[in-house]
């Protein structure tokens, strides 16, 4: 009985201490020293910079080293992005809001809460080109991007319409098969979003393929099996239903009513956004609770006053403490939250 209790205690302790570590290097004299970590819950927003996706930021030291380390991520695989840019703080606010940032570098990867990920410099000191991870699925997107580069080379060899048409057919299937062989459904979504993009030359092949190929239902089954509660699964299911409705209507099997179709698309989009918003809000609540748990009860009270932009003197008067005591609590808060200023503390809680 004691042995069982001991084993249970050790397992529980290991769970409590489980945390991720994502680290790497940048070139300090080339990039701004702020590094961002984002969670991507909408696979149509894998490329770019979106403020609502950012879950953490850190500062690289004088050698360029940075690290994200905590225990707030999902226990299942999700899509994450690390990015850096050359914009000033003012430019960053504008660019991140618009989802675009010139002169930036980003890396998409798959991870979960217990993973270790290292990003050493590759040949020529290039950043975000090599991944060393405890998660064998981490570099799936790097492999896909490498294959897409091969595809671009094939397109560029002969720039005729005939060559483009042949390559469209060949690479559509090549990418689809490659995604399936990765045995990671959320990596397949990276390829699916590319092949089904309405602005892509490959979209026509997607429309035709969707009519008869069972691949899409198989992918849906894999997503529901591996990730029943992930936002990607519901988003993919919604998009698949909408595209099939459009195909059925366009084929003449039913009277095509554009207004109904648009209402369906709008409803599905609103539903997906609502789910993503709730999950984002839930993640922020969890992060806030985790951060506050690091502080003592008195420090939590002082923190609430700090978030209200009160001065040390105001806080001291409100809590009947000396100013020096408030300063001591404030310094402890900085240390425990790994912050250097009030603004950094507020950025952890106010989004």
């Amino acid at each position: 009985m004691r042995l069982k209790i001991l084993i249970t205690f050790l397992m529980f302790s290991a769970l409590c201490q489980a945390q991720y570590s994502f680290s790497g290097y940048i070139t300090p004299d080339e990039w701004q020293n702020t590094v961002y970590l984002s969670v991507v819950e909408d696979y149509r927003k894998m490329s770019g910079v979106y403020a609502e996706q950012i879950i953490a930021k850190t500062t690289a030291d004088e050698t360029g080293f940075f690290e994200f380390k905590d225990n707030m991520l999902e226990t299942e695989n999700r899509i994450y992005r690390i990015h850096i840019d050359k914009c000033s703080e003012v430019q960053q606010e504008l660019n991140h809001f618009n989802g675009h940032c010139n002169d930036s570098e980003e890396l998409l990867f798959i991870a979960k809460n217990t993973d270790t990920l290292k990003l050493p410099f590759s040949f020529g000191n290039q950043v975000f080109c090599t991944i060393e991870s405890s998660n064998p699925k981490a570099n799936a997107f790097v492999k896909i991007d490498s294959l897409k580069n091969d595809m671009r080379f094939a397109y560029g060899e002969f720039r005729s319409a005939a060559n483009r048409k042949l390559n469209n057919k060949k690479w559509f299937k090549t990418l689809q098969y490659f995604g399936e062989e990765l045995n990671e459904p959320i990596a397949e979504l990276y390829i699916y979003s590319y092949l089904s993009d309405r602005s892509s030359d490959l979209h026509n092949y997607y429309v035709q393929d969707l009519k008869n190929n069972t691949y899409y239902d198989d992918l849906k089954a894999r997503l529901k099996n591996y990730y029943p509660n992930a936002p990607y699964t519901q988003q993919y299911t919604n998009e698949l239903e909408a595209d099939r409705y459009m195909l059925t209507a366009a084929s003449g099997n039913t009277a095509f009513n554009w207004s109904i179709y648009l209402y369906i698309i709008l409803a599905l989009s609103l539903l997906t956004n609502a789910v993503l918003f709730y999950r984002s809000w839930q993640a922020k609540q969890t992060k806030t609770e985790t951060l506050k748990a690091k502080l003592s009860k008195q420090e939590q009270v002082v923190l609430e006053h700090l978030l209200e932009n009160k001065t040390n003197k105001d806080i001291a008067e409100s809590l009947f403490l000396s100013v020096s005591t408030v300063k001591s609590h404030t310094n402890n808060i900085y240390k425990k939250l790994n912050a250097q200023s009030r603004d950094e503390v507020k950025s952890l809680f106010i989004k």
Side-chain angles (χ1 to χ4, degrees), residues 284 287-288 291 303-304 306-309 342-351:
K284 288 177 183 177
K287 178 184 176 183
T288 298
L291 289 173
L303 172 65
E304 294 301 325
L306 286 176
L307 297 178
E308 294 175 2
N309 292 320
R342 287 191 177 212
D343 287 339
E344 281 195 39
V345 170
K346 286 189 287 186
S347 71
L348 296 174
F349 295 93
I350 302 173
K351 299 294 184 183

Side-chain angles (χ1 to χ4, degrees), residues 8 14 23 48 55 57 72 80 92 103 117 138 177 184 187 196 202 212 224 247 251 274 279 283 329 346-347:
T8 302
S23 62
I55 56 174
K57 68 177 182 178
M72 66 179 182
Y80 295 96
Q92 283 171 349
D103 293 326
L117 182 98
Y177 291 149
E184 176 49 70
S196 62
L202 299 174
N212 304 308
K224 289 185 174 181
L247 282 175
S251 67
R279 289 184 178 275
H329 285 316
K346 286 189 287 186
S347 71

Side-chain angles (χ1 to χ4, degrees), residues 76-78 186 223 227-235 275 279:
E76 296 178 333
N77 281 343
R78 291 289 188 271
I186 57 177
L223 282 165
Y227 303 105
N229 300 314
Y232 318 118
T233 303
Q234 189 59 54
Q235 182 184 2
V275 171
R279 289 184 178 275

Side-chain angles (χ1 to χ4, degrees), residues 8 10 28 81 99 144 159 192 202 283 286 299 319 338-339 342:
T8 302
L10 290 174
R81 181 199 302 110
I144 294 170
R159 297 183 178 274
Y192 167 78
L202 299 174
T286 302
E299 288 164 354
L319 302 179
N338 193 28
R342 287 191 177 212

Side-chain angles (χ1 to χ4, degrees), residues 244-348:
R244 278 181 169 154
Y245 176 84
M246 182 179 67
L247 282 175
T248 302
S251 67
N253 293 335
T254 183
F256 187 66
N257 189 322
W258 278 104
S259 62
I260 293 177
Y261 175 68
L262 291 174
Y263 282 132
I264 291 174
I265 293 293
L266 178 61
L268 293 174
S269 176
L270 289 173
L271 177 61
T272 300
N273 287 334
V275 171
L276 293 176
F277 176 80
Y278 173 74
R279 289 184 178 275
S280 176
W281 174 84
Q282 194 176 44
K284 288 177 183 177
Q285 291 297 108
T286 302
K287 178 184 176 183
T288 298
E289 291 170 4
T290 301
L291 289 173
K292 286 185 177 179
K294 296 179 180 181
L295 308 178
S296 68
K297 294 294 183 183
Q298 187 68 59
E299 288 164 354
Q300 290 180 24
V301 174
V302 172
L303 172 65
E304 294 301 325
H305 287 275
L306 286 176
L307 297 178
E308 294 175 2
N309 292 320
K310 290 185 179 180
T311 65
N312 287 342
K313 182 180 178 182
D314 291 336
I315 298 173
E317 291 175 354
S318 298
L319 302 179
F320 302 102
L321 300 172
S322 67
V323 174
S324 61
T325 300
V326 172
K327 288 181 178 179
S328 178
H329 285 316
T330 301
N331 288 332
N332 287 336
I333 291 170
Y334 290 171
K335 183 177 180 181
K336 291 179 180 180
L337 299 184
N338 193 28
Q340 303 296 323
S341 65
R342 287 191 177 212
D343 287 339
E344 281 195 39
V345 170
K346 286 189 287 186
S347 71
L348 296 174

